Amino acid sequence: MKQIIVVNESLKLPRGKLAAQVAHAAVAAFLEASDEAQRLWLAQGMPKVVLKCETADEIMQFEEAAKRRGIPAYLVSDAGRTVVPAGTITCLGLGPASEKELDELTGELKLVR
Amino acid sequence: MKQIIVVNESLKLPRGKLAAQVAHAAVAAFLEASDEAQRLWLAQGMPKVVLKCETADEIMQFEEAAKRRGIPAYLVSDAGRTVVPAGTITCLGLGPASEKELDELTGELKLVR
């Protein structure tokens, strides 16, 4: 089991802002998951990976694909009080779900450095 | 209600690594909170702030102070597979708790940029 957070790297969010958005996605996607998926993921130490894509459109396509496959998904759009305009899509939380399911979905994406 | 994640900024973690650690702290501290605190915080849109301090010792002092005050607290130490040595304290998740309680505890700390 793992969780993947896909970040809209075109925004080049500063470190603290990015971290807050990714945390939001992680908590919200966790709450979308079944009790069983939550339990397994917690027991395994909550593994998570932060990956990047280059546009909000791409992120929305991942969200749709995840929902079609029954993978928990939560799209984060920023309230716009600080760094980016209101409604900007900043990231997408996926899972907890099996590594296999998530890798089939996001296997092409690279790590955020 | 809010959540605060205090980061060990002396590590100067890269963006993606920092985001994953902060997300870990956010989920784990959330799970330490009472049902009532969870419910209120979720209803308010899960507000969270990422603050910094300069040493692991300082972070551990915040953890102790939080626990004395009954504030949910979860210390994250990295498994050490990638960027930092195993056991390195990377961050501390605090809350969900009231803004007042958290500000009394961490009011001196600055935002991570």
Side-chain angles (χ1 to χ4, degrees):
Chain A
M1 302 293 288
K2 68 179 171 184
Q3 209 176 33
I4 286 179
I5 318 297
V6 183
V7 164
N8 180 358
E9 195 67 340
S10 69
L11 300 173
K12 299 190 197 312
L13 292 177
R15 296 164 76 245
K17 180 79 184 175
L18 178 72
Q21 300 286 317
V22 167
H24 195 107
V27 175
F30 171 79
L31 294 172
E32 301 272 315
S34 68
D35 289 354
E36 176 69 359
Q38 290 183 349
R39 193 185 61 72
L40 286 171
W41 181 69
L42 292 174
Q44 290 170 19
M46 312 189 211
K48 64 183 71 60
V49 182
V50 183
L51 303 178
K52 62 183 171 185
C53 68
E54 293 304 328
T55 66
D57 278 356
E58 214 183 325
I59 289 196
M60 284 187 291
Q61 285 165 23
F62 280 114
E63 186 202 18
E64 277 175 32
K67 290 195 162 169
R68 276 198 307 274
R69 296 168 190 219
I71 296 173
Y74 189 94
L75 196 62
V76 179
S77 57
D78 192 69
R81 279 185 289 266
T82 51
V83 180
V84 296
T88 302
I89 289 169
T90 58
C91 60
L92 171 69
L94 297 171
S98 75
E99 293 207 47
K100 183 166 174 293
E101 277 179 301
L102 288 172
D103 289 345
E104 279 170 16
L105 189 65
T106 63
E108 304 291 302
L109 298 178
K110 301 220 164 80
L111 282 171
V112 174
R113 297 292 178 181
Chain B
M1 301 293 287
K2 69 179 171 185
Q3 209 176 33
I4 286 178
I5 318 297
V6 183
V7 163
N8 180 358
E9 194 68 338
S10 68
L11 300 174
K12 300 190 197 313
L13 292 177
R15 295 164 76 246
K17 181 79 184 175
L18 178 71
Q21 299 286 316
V22 167
H24 194 108
V27 175
F30 171 78
L31 294 171
E32 300 272 315
S34 68
D35 289 354
E36 175 70 0
Q38 290 183 348
R39 194 185 60 72
L40 286 170
W41 180 68
L42 292 174
Q44 290 170 20
M46 313 188 211
K48 66 183 68 59
V49 182
V50 182
L51 303 177
K52 63 182 169 184
C53 68
E54 294 304 327
T55 67
D57 278 355
E58 214 182 325
I59 290 197
M60 285 187 288
Q61 285 164 24
F62 281 115
E63 186 202 17
E64 277 175 34
K67 291 197 160 166
R68 275 198 306 274
R69 295 167 190 218
I71 296 173
Y74 189 94
L75 196 62
V76 179
S77 57
D78 192 69
R81 277 185 289 265
T82 52
V83 180
V84 296
T88 303
I89 289 169
T90 58
C91 60
L92 171 69
L94 297 171
S98 75
E99 293 208 46
K100 182 166 174 294
E101 277 179 300
L102 288 172
D103 290 344
E104 280 171 13
L105 189 64
T106 64
E108 304 290 303
L109 297 179
K110 302 219 164 78
L111 282 171
V112 174
R113 296 293 178 180

